[in-house]
Amino acid sequence: MKLMFLGDVMGRAGRRAITENLARLRTAWKLDFVVVNGENATSGVGLSGAHAKTLLEAGADCITLGDHAFDQRDMLQFIEQEPRVIRPLNFSKTAPGKGARLFTSKNGRKVLVTQVLGQVFMKRPFDDPFSALEPVLKMHPLGGQAAAVIVDVHCEATSEKMAMGHFADGRASLVVGTHTHVPTADAMILPGGTGYLTDAGMCGDYNSVIGMDKAEPLRRFITGMPRDRFSPANGEATLSGVYVETDDRTGKATRIAAIRNGGLLEPGAP
């Protein structure tokens, strides 16, 4: 299978990059399944139902969220009606929606998508992501009913993301980090056959401070005082993420490549 995961969509610029480019890239790269992290797609904080529809209509097969999962209040109801939106497994035991789901890809094969939130340096004390993920991986062994397994690790610490990659090695097709909005250069296939990337980066304007217009973050760093609210930068966006090819029999990764399309970053393609 040919899979693509795109990192945090940041505001209007990120949404525009998805709507203008995803369908073309799906065709050009013959993609079987696409996951998009929509964590910051609405004004940089959370995802509204309307913007979720926009990303799905543009060609995403599944949208993952993150620690801002329900910052847009209508997502509390929308996620119950739209199974293609996945919230973190360990967000809250009472949270609406699902943290893992089995999807049918364009070629008829099943793809499991799941997401966990990290604990290190995060503002809220989320439940242990490792114990949350373990039963999901056991229930969906790679190469069985699930032809591919994609794990989104939404957290700050690179060490925690790397630990999750090794924890799921051989049991997932791809473990990819999100949340920091900066793409890392460590795309690799781990010893057990799992594709891994510490952070997919963001789909947004990189002429910014992690996707936000530069003026207010710079002011706060220099003066220590806030004046205005943060607002997403709205220049030309780069689509950032990762591409993985898997073995049809085992579901393990056979090839991995970082994706960077448009905007300021050096291009990267399969």
Side-chain angles (χ1 to χ4, degrees):
M1 296 184 71
K2 295 181 178 180
L3 314 171
M4 184 169 73
F5 183 100
L6 293 176
D8 308 47
V9 176
M10 187 66 182
R12 185 182 306 168
R15 299 195 311 268
R16 185 170 61 242
I18 295 286
T19 57
E20 292 178 358
N21 295 286
L22 182 52
R24 172 180 58 83
L25 295 178
R26 281 201 76 132
T27 301
W29 297 342
K30 298 182 172 67
L31 300 172
D32 296 309
F33 197 82
V34 175
V35 180
V36 174
N37 182 285
E39 162 79 347
N40 303 116
T42 301
S43 303
V45 284
L47 176 67
S48 69
H51 290 157
K53 290 179 181 177
T54 297
L55 300 179
L56 292 168
E57 289 169 359
D61 294 299
C62 171
I63 300 171
T64 56
L65 296 173
D67 56 309
H68 292 290
F70 301 108
D71 282 18
Q72 300 296 322
R73 303 303 294 175
D74 72 323
M75 184 52 65
L76 289 164
Q77 289 76 41
F78 184 84
I79 198 170
E80 296 277 35
Q81 305 159 10
E82 178 49 80
R84 292 175 291 177
V85 178
I86 298 294
R87 51 94 170 157
L89 273 171
N90 57 331
F91 189 90
S92 166
K93 291 179 174 63
T94 61
K98 301 292 184 183
R101 196 176 294 272
L102 202 62
F103 296 90
T104 302
S105 69
K106 301 293 184 184
N107 62 12
R109 295 189 178 95
K110 301 291 185 181
V111 179
L112 176 76
V113 181
T114 186
Q115 183 187 52
V116 290
L117 287 166
Q119 295 178 308
V120 181
F121 305 136
M122 299 295 277
K123 292 181 180 179
R124 287 180 48 195
F126 300 109
D127 292 341
D128 172 28
F130 295 89
S131 60
L133 183 60
E134 178 65 25
V136 174
L137 295 178
K138 281 187 174 180
M139 190 180 299
H140 302 91
L142 189 60
Q145 185 183 12
V149 173
I150 298 172
V151 180
D152 174 355
V153 188
H154 196 80
C155 62
E156 290 278 4
T158 55
S159 57
E160 192 172 16
K161 295 175 185 179
M162 289 177 177
M164 187 62 72
H166 292 294
F167 177 76
D169 188 21
R171 300 190 289 170
S173 307
L174 172 67
V175 173
V176 57
T178 54
H179 183 63
T180 68
H181 295 197
V182 178
T184 55
D186 59 341
M188 59 181 156
I189 298 176
L190 298 175
T194 292
Y196 175 80
L197 180 66
T198 295
D199 203 287
M202 70 173 175
C203 296
D205 178 8
Y206 279 84
N207 183 21
S208 66
V209 175
I210 61 169
M212 293 296 182
D213 183 84
K214 295 174 287 187
E216 182 61 15
L218 279 171
R219 180 183 297 110
R220 294 190 191 188
F221 279 121
I222 293 166
T223 69
M225 295 294 292
R227 192 176 80 181
D228 300 317
R229 296 180 65 181
F230 288 155
S231 58
N234 198 33
E236 183 185 358
T238 303
L239 287 181
S240 298
V242 62
Y243 167 92
V244 175
E245 291 182 16
T246 63
D247 181 89
D248 286 340
R249 183 178 60 84
T250 65
K252 295 183 179 182
T254 58
R255 185 165 176 263
I256 188 169
I259 298 299
R260 295 176 300 275
N261 186 267
L264 293 178
L265 301 191
E266 180 183 2

